[in-house]
Amino acid sequence: MTVLVVGHVVDDLYQGAVPAIVPFLVAERAYGYLAAAGITVAATLLSSVVQPLFGVLTDRRAMPWLVPVGMTVAGAGIGLSGLSDSYLVTWLAIALSGLGVAAYHPEAARLARRVSGGHVGMGWFALGGNVGFALGPVLVTPVVHHGGLGASPVLVVPALIGALFTVAALRGVRGSRTAVARTGRDDWAQFGRLTVVVMARSIVTFGLGTFLALWVGGPVAGEVALVVLFGVGAAGTLLGGVLAERWGRIRVVRVSYAVAVPAVAGIALVPGPAIYVVVAVAALALYVPFSLHTTLGQDYLPNRLGTASGVTLGLAVSVGGLAAPLIGAIAAATSLRWALLSLTVLPVVAWVAARGLSEPSPDRTVASSAEAVAPLPR
């Protein structure tokens, strides 16, 4: 489980690397806003479309090798992105990274569920992804700032190291389709409702991550706001598993989105330093359900764990990126305040959809098979 959590950090680091590398592409190659937006779309569009397809493939046949391979491809794409002056080549390199991210998540989430031992373990796995996304700029900025875009191949090093450790860990897991107990039927109606929740949350969190710093104003104040958003959000990811163990996943999800409605609105309405408190509350409300989406999806589709993971983890990041231009268009047509207020609609949608969710019945709940999972190296 430790290796999977760290591996998730490394893989999603390359998702966070994309918005970090775009300013350098703009500065060195004079990309316009449209070209810069196209780079972001290259990563998010392909990942959002392909990730559920990888989930379907892993449901038909266990493919644990996709975990290290996907991680390596994600790093290779970012590593290649600075080597050519051709926009098309750069776009394809970023798209290749998105393909690697898409290949990684469904199988990694399935394996994490097998060895996690409960909601708290999956909370750690989800936390790894959030931490990795936040670390993307930490890796990219010093490397490209000092070495230019020509130094981008250095960025593949964490992926290679992570892949080696992952391969070693996977030798302790016997990968077969019968490795996880599957009983009962797939509940597509409940999974459909959950998908609405996931997509609504994705758009609001991505919108806040994109525009919060601009709204707070000033480089220092804006960065502090983002640190609060992602730092408190990371803590919320772990807290979600703890709360679910005590009060149940569905109740925690519903209460979280009910709290998110006034909290997200408060970001646009509360003046002065108090906005940091509101951002912290919104971060908790939006990140507490994050890992619970994945375990619920897997329990609603116990026969299609890869598909469930591909949707709940894939769409959780990619759809928000695709919707970001729409939020920007609202800001351009009205104001940034109204753009942020428009995000309030999304936790309302998530809360309404969550009202129709029910806890999966025991005969549909995924159970780890003790004899299917050998001890992992520590």
Side-chain angles (χ1 to χ4, degrees):
M1 191 63 205
T2 300
V3 175
L4 286 170
V5 171
V6 175
H8 202 189
V9 172
V10 173
D11 183 80
D12 282 18
L13 180 151
Y14 293 105
Q15 287 185 307
V18 175
I21 206 169
V22 165
F24 293 100
L25 293 170
V26 171
E28 290 194 25
R29 300 179 183 172
Y31 286 175
Y33 289 126
L34 183 60
I39 294 296
T40 302
V41 169
T44 57
L45 179 62
L46 188 63
S47 182
S48 63
V49 171
V50 174
Q51 199 152 177
L53 298 180
F54 275 110
V56 172
L57 289 176
T58 59
D59 286 332
R60 295 180 177 178
R61 181 182 180 85
M63 300 178 180
W65 55 268
L66 277 177
V67 179
V69 168
M71 186 187 307
T72 303
V73 171
I78 295 298
L80 293 171
S81 64
L83 295 184
S84 174
D85 290 333
S86 166
Y87 181 81
L88 177 60
V89 173
T90 301
W91 193 95
L92 290 174
I94 297 294
L96 178 67
S97 180
L99 182 66
V101 170
Y104 171 87
H105 277 108
E107 189 71 3
R110 187 176 69 85
L111 289 171
R113 185 66 189 275
R114 285 172 55 186
V115 301
S116 64
H119 305 314
V120 175
M122 283 300 291
W124 279 103
F125 178 74
L127 173 65
N130 290 331
V131 170
F133 193 93
L135 288 178
V138 177
L139 172 69
V140 169
T141 301
V143 171
V144 182
H145 176 73
H146 292 290
L149 289 171
S152 64
V154 175
L155 301 175
V156 76
V157 172
L160 296 176
I161 296 173
L164 288 175
F165 277 99
T166 302
V167 168
L170 288 176
R171 292 175 180 172
V173 180
R174 293 194 287 274
S176 68
R177 286 201 64 196
T178 58
V180 176
R182 296 178 174 88
T183 57
R185 61 181 181 81
D186 295 326
D187 192 336
W188 287 100
Q190 287 287 289
F191 186 76
R193 283 184 174 273
L194 179 65
T195 301
V196 172
V197 174
V198 168
M199 294 174 67
R201 178 208 174 268
S202 172
I203 296 171
V204 68
T205 53
F206 208 102
L208 288 177
T210 304
F211 298 106
L212 179 62
L214 296 175
W215 171 246
V216 173
V220 175
E223 290 302 318
V224 170
L226 288 177
V227 168
V228 171
L229 178 67
F230 294 126
V232 176
T237 302
L238 281 180
L239 182 61
V242 175
L243 295 177
E245 295 280 357
R246 183 168 184 177
W247 287 302
R249 290 174 291 183
I250 301 301
R251 181 184 296 179
V252 171
V253 168
R254 290 173 180 168
V255 171
S256 295
Y257 287 117
V259 173
V261 175
V264 172
I267 291 175
L269 299 175
V270 173
I275 191 172
Y276 296 110
V277 177
V278 180
V279 169
V281 175
L284 277 177
L286 292 169
Y287 279 86
V288 160
F290 184 70
S291 65
L292 307 183
H293 294 159
T294 302
T295 59
L296 280 170
Q298 291 173 333
D299 286 346
Y300 287 142
L301 301 183
N303 301 300
R304 293 174 173 83
L305 301 187
T307 300
S309 302
V311 171
T312 55
L313 284 175
L315 292 180
V317 175
S318 345
V319 169
L322 298 178
L326 176 60
I327 309 300
I330 295 174
T334 56
S335 68
L336 190 52
R337 180 189 296 272
W338 280 106
L340 290 172
L341 282 173
S342 71
L343 295 175
T344 308
V345 175
L346 296 160
V348 173
V349 171
W351 178 77
V352 171
R355 293 280 297 172
L357 293 177
S358 59
E359 192 70 37
S361 58
D363 66 337
R364 286 206 312 267
T365 300
V366 177
S368 297
S369 172
E371 57 185 42
V373 183
L376 292 176
R378 293 185 180 274

